[in-house]
Amino acid sequence: MSRTHVLIVAETRGGQLKKGAFETATAGRRLADAWGGKVVAVVTGQGVAGAADALGKHGVDQVLVVDGPAFARHQAEATAAAVLAAVAKVSPRLVLFSATLAGKETAPAVAAKLGAGYVADATAVALEGADLVATKPRLAGKAIAKVALKAEVAVVSVRPNVVTPAAAPRAATSEALAVTVPAVRIRCKEVVAPTAKEIELTEADVIVSGGRGLQGPEHWKLLLDAADALGAAHGASRAVVDAGWRPHKEQVGQTGKTVSPKLYVAVAISGAIQHLAGMSSSKVIVAINKDGDAPIFGVADFGIVGDAFAVLPLLAEEARAYLKK
Ligand SMILES: Cc1cc2nc3c(=O)[nH]c(=O)nc-3n(C[C@H](O)[C@H](O)[C@H](O)COP(=O)(O)OP(=O)(O)OC[C@H]3O[C@@H](n4cnc5c(N)ncnc54)[C@H](O)[C@@H]3O)c2cc1C
């Protein structure tokens, strides 16, 4: 009989499920419904035994819990062992990861072990007729590929924020899954967690990013203030990061992070193809640039041709006035 189940890999941080877990649950639910199968989640971490309630609200039927100190922090080999143990138990048609750093590190190893069809960082995964098709931006977002996954098992990582978690409540069952943890070759020495005020770029709904046109790190307070007013995470172009104005963790683009927020505000960023590669799947793009011919306006939904030093304070003021209402 052909396979019908979807296995989602539900990431946790500090014992809490990450947003991507609910996104993959929602994507998985749609496919499992079409196939007449169930959605099973494998949850790894420490102190994660209570994950079933929250996942059940988003369409997960069964939760396999891998709990213990070896899983307290993401470690790709350990996570891959847990996912492979879950695959052996569930025999899914599809394994869905969130395309976070951890997901992008673990998913190809799992796909290789399974001999599965694999698509990384998909912006959609759906049925087209009988085919399971993943949508994937290529050539830094200039082309969109649709990849039909015809192998018996498929592994797909889904770009964070492209699926809106939907309610599909059910009472998910929960059971512990025994996993033999492989000898660890890479050990995490330190985790630099975002401060309470920092919002993780890949999970943010709103991002304000700055480019070289801001002229120097001393002007960043203007951008940070506008981001703060909008409740936004802040990003940067590579030119800014290369110049040492901002840390690499803020870089958006081909060699930085890929983001898909609801709103992306590009301030004094020209819109080089390598920058667009990281943000062109944002739902609404606003560009602020003093050059009306800057390429960023080619992907923007709204554009302000103007001096960022004049526009940013107004943006912050208006956002504060509006959001206070
Ligand atoms: C292999 C490779 C990988 C790369 N990866 C990345 C990546 O991941 N991310 C990335 O961003 N880039 C990446 N780049 C670099 C990319 O090609 C561009 O050089 C970079 O994005 C330019 O950054 P920028 O737009 O901030 O600077 P610039 O191209 O210098 O643009 C500055 C913009 O600011 C505007 N401006 C100036 N003053 C003002 C003002 N007062 N008010 C408003 N606007 C103003 C200008 O009109 C201009 O459009 C990569 C390049 C290569 C070759």
Side-chain angles (χ1 to χ4, degrees):
M1 206 184 105
S2 61
R3 295 170 177 233
T4 56
H5 303 321
V6 178
L7 177 71
I8 67 155
V9 181
E11 270 182 52
T12 61
R13 186 198 289 136
Q16 300 297 314
L17 287 161
K18 291 180 70 177
K19 191 175 161 201
F22 305 113
E23 296 170 358
T24 48
T26 295
R29 184 71 261 163
R30 286 179 197 141
L31 291 162
D33 282 345
W35 287 325
K38 56 184 182 176
V39 178
V40 182
V42 56
V43 181
T44 60
Q46 192 169 23
V48 293
D53 279 356
L55 287 168
K57 290 187 180 129
H58 294 278
V60 172
D61 299 292
Q62 184 185 359
V63 177
L64 303 174
V65 179
V66 184
D67 199 311
F71 296 92
R73 284 177 180 167
H74 165 70
Q75 204 286 327
E77 289 153 315
T79 308
V83 177
L84 289 167
V87 168
K89 188 175 168 73
V90 175
S91 299
R93 165 76 183 91
L94 172 66
V95 183
L96 276 181
F97 284 82
S98 191
T100 57
L101 283 177
K104 284 195 235 178
E105 189 185 14
T106 316
V110 168
K113 283 267 188 207
L114 295 174
Y118 173 54
V119 174
D121 201 24
T123 51
V125 55
L127 285 181
E128 293 193 4
D131 287 338
L132 175 61
V133 175
T135 305
K136 174 170 173 73
R138 295 245 185 233
L139 303 171
K142 284 213 153 185
I144 304 292
K146 286 200 157 193
V147 185
L149 292 148
K150 304 220 166 176
E152 190 187 19
V153 187
V155 176
V156 175
S157 64
V158 179
R159 184 174 291 184
N161 273 351
V162 298
V163 178
T164 306
R170 63 207 60 224
T173 60
S174 180
E175 65 183 273
L177 181 69
V179 175
T180 308
V181 181
V184 170
R185 287 179 294 172
I186 301 168
R187 206 174 293 281
C188 173
K189 288 179 75 177
E190 189 192 1
V191 174
V192 183
T195 63
K197 270 201 102 179
E198 280 178 344
I199 304 167
E200 167 55 36
L201 267 185
T202 54
E203 294 176 9
D205 283 338
V206 184
I207 296 174
V208 180
S209 283
R212 181 151 48 194
L214 286 174
Q215 294 174 14
E218 67 278 14
H219 299 130
W220 228 256
K221 56 182 181 308
L222 281 177
L223 183 124
L224 297 182
D225 188 50
D228 189 45
L230 285 163
H234 39 91
S237 71
R238 175 162 165 180
V240 163
V241 172
D242 283 354
W245 302 351
R246 300 300 301 173
H248 182 262
K249 66 178 180 179
E250 292 183 10
Q251 184 179 318
V252 172
Q254 189 179 320
T255 43
K257 289 182 175 164
T258 304
V259 298
S260 292
K262 289 181 183 148
L263 172 64
Y264 187 88
V265 185
V267 184
I269 290 176
S270 58
I273 183 73
Q274 297 89 354
H275 188 81
L276 302 187
M279 46 62 78
S280 56
S281 60
S282 305
K283 274 128 209 126
V284 175
I285 297 171
V286 175
I288 302 169
N289 198 301
K290 68 177 185 184
D291 173 7
D293 292 325
I296 191 74
F297 288 119
V299 297
D301 300 283
F302 300 94
I304 300 173
V305 180
D307 186 341
F309 295 100
V311 176
L312 278 174
L314 288 175
L315 180 66
E317 193 183 316
E318 287 295 322
R320 287 209 170 88
Y322 180 77
L323 294 173
K324 230 185 269 166
K325 281 180 194 163

